[in-house]
Amino acid sequence: MIDENSSTWAKRLLLLILTLLVLAGCSKPSATPDAKSAGADKGEDKGSRILTIGMPTDMVSFDIHNHNTILTEAIHINMFNYLFKRNSDLEIKPDLVESYKVVDDTTWEFKLKKGVTFHNGDPFTSADVKYTLERVAKDKGLKENPNYKQIKEVKIIDDQNFQILTDGPQPALLNRLSRIGSGMLPKAYIEKNGFDYFLAHPIGTGPFKFSEWVRDDRVVLEAYDNYFEGRVKDWDRVVFRKIPEDSSRVNELLAGSVDLIANLPANLVNVVNAEPKTTMLKATSNRVGLLAVRSTKGLPTADPKVREAIDLAINKKALAETVLGGYATPTRTRVTPGNFGADPSLYNTSLYDPDKAKQLLKEAGYANGLTITLHSPNGVYTKDKEVSEMIQAMLGEVGIKVNLELMERAKFTEMRAAGKNKELFLASYGNSLFDADTALDVYRTEKAKTELDYSNREVDDLLKAALVNMNPKDRTAQYQRIQKIVAEERPHIYLYSEQGLYGVKKTINFKPRTDEMIYVPDITKK
């Protein structure tokens, strides 16, 4: 195969897209903030103790166990503590836990910090840990269940001490306990009032407490005076505002109505940097853009040659350099550097050979071309619509007509949950576990049924073995072997690893994180 063939056609397409991007996006947005955005939560006053953050999407839910949306977790992390947490350098540190020890391969013992309370004043104890972890471990209907079902039981020793019993050796247990699924819920509060009441009036142990959620508009949190690590110094309130349009988010930042915006589009970086009061900040993300490819019998993509042809027809380097403005890296794996089990040979590389793609289609019986469907969310992932349109054009060049279906988030999610996706859909996945298990577990035959219809016995066996392998070297080798199989068989065609871009006022200190969390106590005034 040829790596990034620079054909004449590719150069022409690249030039065309660059021209369109320059014309469409590199000028200063003309719109002005609307009346609502300039309201009471405006944080432009240098003395303001209100931090306002512009988000591209609304929060999904306050059920921290039943979503897998990073931008929602970026809000939750300010209300709910985990047993462990990652600091800004992504090192795992105790959060609600004071200390721990490994008793044996399936038993871990923990001691909680003293003086931790929920926002209603109730003390946080081992009973809350048992309620929380056994809920997410046993309720198969929760989206976080696959990441915690390895927990067999939480055994309470006393209010401050408890044991976690697992169903086998768990090399990634601390990774699991340092992410959203181990966000602690208030047992007594929920049992007294019911879970629906909790969803409307949530409480946690975090540095901020719930104030208001106006759906499709804003989530408002207030500093918790009795936070066990001390009240947040610089902010009384934080407002997460939904501002879906890229240009509108940038406008709000330039006008001073928001202090920070997430998902800054690459084509507006120069606009933000040109203003004296704002700047762009970036961080390497472990988010990877990809095409999910359905292998269901009867679909053209059931043929490995068609899947390979699609891969070879897409110029990933052009996608990264044009649509994403150079703030992305081509990749053939979702397990990027910094995640346990990464295979460096599959990162910062891609395949591109349109001539061979045409030959493969001919061998597969599609010498005269074929028609497939690409589902794409619109406004959910970075430049999702533009990426899909460019892929549509690239596939068209080798004889694959793509019916592009752009979908709102709710319909896209509903389609995936029902398994009604056709040949391709565009997605972008992060990895809050920072372990290959999360990225690769989607290829287990049982789990891959709904969206991919992919099955490989060797992959199933390797996943099962790696999950309980306490030898890091052997475990890494198992995950690297899976990645090579996936790169060859293409249940997913990986496109690029994204960088997280943020627009920020120069009056605040903010350090973007690889895990995309927006932890407000770490954001300070200059």
Side-chain angles (χ1 to χ4, degrees):
M1 294 185 181
I2 301 171
D3 185 27
E4 302 297 357
N5 185 317
S6 55
S7 68
T8 301
W9 172 84
K11 290 178 180 175
R12 289 202 305 268
L13 179 61
L14 188 62
L15 181 60
L16 173 63
I17 290 169
L18 278 170
T19 302
L20 290 173
L21 286 172
V22 168
L23 292 174
C26 291
S27 59
K28 184 175 180 177
S30 58
T32 56
D34 58 27
K36 181 171 61 180
S37 70
D41 294 325
K42 177 174 169 181
E44 61 187 351
D45 180 0
K46 189 174 181 181
S48 173
R49 292 181 59 80
I50 301 172
L51 180 71
T52 305
I53 300 172
M55 308 286 277
T57 58
D58 193 15
M59 185 181 67
V60 173
S61 165
F62 270 116
D63 189 342
I64 57 178
H65 294 155
N66 203 23
H67 74 85
N68 44 31
T69 306
I70 286 179
L71 288 179
T72 291
E73 184 179 358
I75 298 174
H76 287 169
I77 195 173
N78 293 288
M79 274 190 64
F80 301 93
N81 288 97
Y82 311 157
L83 292 179
F84 292 82
K85 63 182 177 183
R86 291 184 183 273
N87 62 20
S88 58
D89 294 321
L90 302 179
E91 299 167 322
I92 295 178
K93 301 290 184 181
D95 191 1
L96 294 174
V97 161
E98 178 72 35
S99 60
Y100 75 99
K101 63 181 180 182
V102 180
V103 178
D104 56 42
D105 279 353
T106 60
T107 307
W108 299 56
E109 190 166 312
F110 302 84
K111 181 178 184 179
L112 295 174
K113 291 178 179 175
K114 294 182 178 178
V116 179
T117 59
F118 286 102
H119 298 149
N120 66 343
D122 286 352
F124 167 67
T125 71
S126 298
D128 299 300
V129 178
K130 181 178 177 64
Y131 173 82
T132 298
L133 293 183
E134 291 190 352
R135 174 184 187 251
V136 68
K138 295 180 179 179
D139 187 342
K140 295 181 180 178
L142 296 173
K143 291 183 178 179
E144 279 294 315
N145 171 263
N147 291 317
Y148 294 88
K149 64 182 182 181
Q150 303 80 10
I151 295 175
K152 185 178 177 182
E153 179 186 357
V154 176
K155 185 181 293 184
I156 296 174
I157 299 173
D158 56 37
D159 282 351
Q160 302 300 128
N161 296 278
F162 65 93
Q163 290 181 335
I164 293 179
L165 281 59
T166 60
D167 61 0
Q170 285 300 319
L173 183 62
L174 294 188
N175 299 58
R176 300 183 194 284
L177 299 181
S178 59
R179 59 187 300 283
I180 188 64
S182 81
M184 289 294 118
L185 297 175
K187 175 178 183 290
Y189 180 81
I190 292 173
E191 289 183 343
K192 177 182 178 182
N193 300 293
F195 208 84
D196 288 341
Y197 182 86
F198 167 79
L199 293 178
H201 306 85
I203 62 170
T205 60
F208 285 87
K209 62 181 181 180
F210 175 71
S211 175
E212 180 184 37
W213 181 17
V214 180
R215 287 185 183 272
D216 291 322
D217 188 273
R218 63 185 183 273
V219 177
V220 182
L221 309 179
E222 295 183 353
Y224 178 41
D225 290 337
N226 297 321
Y227 184 54
F228 71 98
E229 290 188 334
R231 189 185 191 282
V232 175
K233 292 181 180 178
D234 285 351
W235 312 110
D236 293 331
R237 178 184 295 179
V238 56
V239 182
F240 294 91
R241 285 188 46 211
K242 177 188 174 183
I243 311 174
E245 293 295 330
D246 290 345
S247 59
S248 297
R249 279 198 310 285
V250 171
N251 269 321
E252 298 268 12
L253 178 70
L254 300 182
S257 302
V258 299
D259 301 288
L260 185 160
I261 59 172
N263 282 27
L264 172 65
N267 59 310
L268 293 178
V269 166
N270 289 340
V271 174
V272 170
N273 282 339
E275 289 293 319
K277 295 182 178 180
T278 60
T279 190
M280 179 275 286
L281 296 176
K282 63 180 180 179
T284 299
S285 163
N286 62 4
R287 176 178 293 278
V288 171
L290 57 88
L291 287 178
V293 189
R294 187 150 201 157
S295 297
T296 305
K297 187 177 180 180
L299 294 178
T301 43
D303 189 330
K305 291 184 177 180
V306 173
R307 298 199 297 271
E308 183 178 356
I310 293 171
D311 189 4
L312 297 183
I314 300 172
N315 188 337
K316 293 84 174 179
K317 189 174 182 179
L319 284 174
E321 291 183 350
T322 57
V323 180
L324 298 174
Y327 296 105
T329 303
T331 182
R332 298 186 65 206
T333 178
R334 185 183 158 194
V335 189
T336 54
N339 292 273
F340 182 88
D343 184 342
S345 71
L346 295 174
Y347 186 72
N348 198 13
T349 186
S350 62
L351 305 177
Y352 177 55
D353 188 343
D355 291 335
K356 185 170 181 181
K358 292 176 183 176
Q359 179 60 34
L360 286 166
L361 291 175
K362 184 177 179 181
E363 293 173 9
Y366 298 104
N368 296 320
L370 76 158
T371 300
I372 61 175
T373 296
L374 167 59
H375 307 281
S376 173
N378 187 4
V380 175
Y381 307 121
T382 304
K383 292 294 178 186
D384 44 20
K385 174 176 177 289
E386 291 81 0
V387 168
S388 295
E389 289 173 343
M390 192 167 176
I391 289 173
Q392 181 185 37
M394 290 174 171
L395 294 182
E397 288 293 324
V398 301
I400 301 176
K401 180 183 177 182
V402 174
N403 292 324
L404 177 58
E405 293 188 6
L406 296 172
M407 310 172 79
E408 296 301 319
R409 184 191 195 107
K411 289 187 176 179
F412 183 71
T413 302
E414 181 181 345
M415 174 202 70
R416 290 182 57 185
K420 293 184 178 178
N421 53 294
K422 297 179 181 176
E423 287 89 355
L424 303 174
F425 71 77
L426 180 80
S428 181
Y429 296 153
N431 184 356
S432 61
L433 195 65
F434 285 86
D435 188 280
D437 179 64
T438 289
L440 303 178
D441 190 58
V442 295
Y443 304 119
R444 258 189 315 111
T445 295
E446 182 183 358
K447 197 167 184 177
K449 281 181 181 177
T450 304
E451 291 184 346
L452 304 175
D453 269 335
Y454 174 75
S455 179
N456 181 303
R457 179 172 295 180
E458 183 181 359
V459 169
D460 285 339
D461 291 342
L462 285 166
L463 284 169
K464 186 177 180 180
L467 183 65
V468 297
N469 191 342
M470 299 297 281
N471 183 313
K473 184 178 179 181
D474 291 348
R475 188 164 177 259
T476 294
Q478 290 166 331
Y479 284 134
Q480 291 181 341
R481 171 60 184 155
I482 296 171
Q483 290 169 75
K484 284 188 166 57
I485 293 173
V486 168
E488 185 68 24
E489 297 190 341
R490 300 175 175 84
H492 284 140
I493 294 174
Y494 292 108
L495 303 171
Y496 45 76
S497 168
E498 298 181 29
Q499 290 188 19
L501 305 183
Y502 301 82
V504 186
K505 279 185 180 176
K506 291 182 178 177
T507 54
I508 65 172
N509 298 302
F510 171 66
K511 181 181 177 182
R513 297 166 56 118
T514 298
D515 60 7
E516 302 177 58
M517 294 297 101
I518 303 175
Y519 188 55
V520 175
D522 287 344
I523 304 173
T524 59
K525 293 182 179 180
K526 289 185 177 177

